[in-house]
Amino acid sequence: MRANSFKYLVKEGATNVWLNRLMSLASIGVLTTCLLLIGFSWLITANINNMIDYIGDQNEVVFFIKDDATEEQISQNLASLKQDERLFDVIYINKEQALEEFKVTMGEDAVILEGLEGEDNPCAASFRFKVSDISQTSVIVAELQENPIKEKINAPTDVADTMTNIKDMINVFSVVLVAVLCVVSLVIIANTIRATVFSRRREINIMKYVGATNNFIRVPFFVEGVLIGAIAAVLAFLLTWGGYTLLFGYVSDHASTWLGQLLGSLILFDEVMWPLFGSFLGAGVVVGTIGCTFSVRNHLKV
C-alpha cells in the first residue's frame, strides 16, 4: 500500500469517528466505564493488600532466651536472625533492658520491682523481630522452636494466618472481577462496533464491487478502533485520577488518629500514574482494534 493511500485511509478512519459519532460515543462510553471499573478494582485491591501488610508489620515476634544461654550462643543466633532476609527490625533485649521496660509498663506500681536487679532479675532476655511476609510467620516460628536456647516464643500466628487468608480471598476475587469485566468489555464493544459496521455494510459492499482490497477496507475501521480505544483510555484515566484523588483527600481529612496511620500505607496516585495510563491505553486500543477487525470481517465476504 502506497504512503498516499495509507494517509488517505487514516484520515478517512478519523473522519468516520465523527460522522458516526453516536455509535462512536456509545463505544467510548462503554469502554470508558469498563476501564474505570477495572482500574478502581485494581487500586482498591492493591490498597487493601498494602493495609494488611502494614497491620502485619506491627505484629512483633518475641523469642525469649534461656537464662543459661552463653554470650557466644546469643551472638551467633542474633547474627543468624539478622542475615535472614525474611526478617527485619531484629534487635536483642538483655535482661536489664527487659526489666526496665517492665517497670515502665507497671507505672506507679513499679516500686514492687525494686531490688530485683542482677541475679534476682525475673525477666528473660529476648530477640525481637518482624516478618516481611506475614504468611511465613508460622513457618519461621516452627523453625525456631527447635533452637536450643529457646525458652518460649510469643508470635501472632493466628493473626498472621487470618490476614493471609483475607489477602488471598481478596486477590482471587479481584482476579475474577477483572476477568469478568474484560470479557464483558469485549462482548459489549464488539456488539457496539458490529452495529456500526452493519449500518455501513452497503458502503463496504460497494467498495468490494469496485475492486477495493480487504486491507484497503479494513484500515479505516482499524483506525476507528484505535481512536475509540485511545479516547476511552484517556477519559478513564482522567476520571480515575480525579475520583481517586478526591476519595483519598476526603478519607484523609476525616480519618481518626489510628486510621490516619493506616492510611499512610495507601498507594499515592503519582506512584502508579504512568503504569496505569499505559495499561488503560494498551487495553483500550487492543479492545477497540479487535472489536473493529472482527466486526468488519463478515461483511468482506461478497
Side-chain angles (χ1 to χ4, degrees), residues 97-115:
Q97 291 172 321
L99 180 60
E100 291 302 318
E101 288 185 357
F102 190 31
K103 288 180 179 179
V104 172
T105 60
M106 292 290 289
E108 296 179 356
D109 297 328
V111 292
I112 64 176
L113 299 176
E114 295 297 333

Side-chain angles (χ1 to χ4, degrees), residues 27-245:
S27 300
I28 291 170
V30 171
L31 186 52
T32 300
T33 302
C34 291
L35 289 174
L36 268 175
L37 292 173
I38 293 172
F40 269 106
S41 297
W42 179 82
L43 286 170
I44 290 172
T45 301
N47 279 313
I48 291 176
N49 285 335
N50 275 10
M51 286 190 285
I52 290 176
D53 290 340
Y54 172 80
I55 295 172
D57 289 344
Q58 310 311 306
N59 292 291
E60 189 175 59
V61 177
V62 182
F63 179 102
F64 291 100
I65 304 170
K66 290 180 178 179
D67 289 339
D68 59 358
T70 65
E71 291 296 327
E72 182 180 0
Q73 287 177 313
I74 293 174
S75 298
Q76 289 176 348
N77 277 275
L78 180 60
S80 177
L81 291 173
K82 287 185 174 180
Q83 291 174 359
D84 194 329
E85 296 181 352
R86 299 172 298 175
L87 313 179
F88 68 100
D89 288 349
V90 179
I91 59 173
Y92 168 64
I93 303 295
N94 60 35
K95 291 173 66 69
E96 290 73 22
Q97 291 172 321
L99 180 60
E100 291 302 318
E101 288 185 357
F102 190 31
K103 288 180 179 179
V104 172
T105 60
M106 292 290 289
E108 296 179 356
D109 297 328
V111 292
I112 64 176
L113 299 176
E114 295 297 333
L116 294 180
E117 291 80 7
E119 294 183 358
D120 295 327
N121 186 346
C123 297
S126 62
F127 300 125
R128 300 181 185 178
F129 55 85
K130 297 175 182 177
V131 182
S132 301
D133 183 357
I134 59 174
S135 65
Q136 295 295 310
T137 302
S138 298
V139 175
I140 294 170
V141 170
E143 293 174 1
L144 294 175
Q145 292 289 357
E146 306 300 323
N147 195 304
I149 68 169
K150 180 217 71 174
E151 178 66 32
K152 68 174 182 177
I153 299 176
N154 286 347
T157 52
D158 291 341
V159 175
D161 292 341
T162 300
M163 288 185 174
T164 300
N165 291 335
I166 293 173
K167 187 175 180 178
D168 291 341
M169 289 174 59
I170 290 172
N171 287 334
V172 170
F173 177 78
S174 176
V175 170
V176 172
L177 179 61
V178 170
V180 170
L181 288 173
C182 286
V183 172
V184 170
S185 301
L186 283 171
V187 171
I188 295 177
I189 291 297
N191 287 335
T192 304
I193 295 176
R194 186 176 292 113
T196 303
V197 176
F198 183 77
S199 66
R200 296 159 61 187
R201 64 190 183 282
R202 292 182 180 177
E203 174 187 341
I204 295 174
N205 289 339
I206 293 172
M207 294 177 69
K208 284 289 294 182
Y209 282 128
V210 298
T213 63
N214 289 342
N215 288 334
F216 188 90
I217 297 172
R218 282 195 187 103
V219 170
F221 289 98
F222 177 83
V223 173
E224 286 185 56
V226 171
L227 288 176
I228 288 172
I231 293 171
V234 172
L235 288 175
F237 173 77
L238 294 176
L239 290 172
T240 302
W241 186 359
Y244 187 81
T245 302

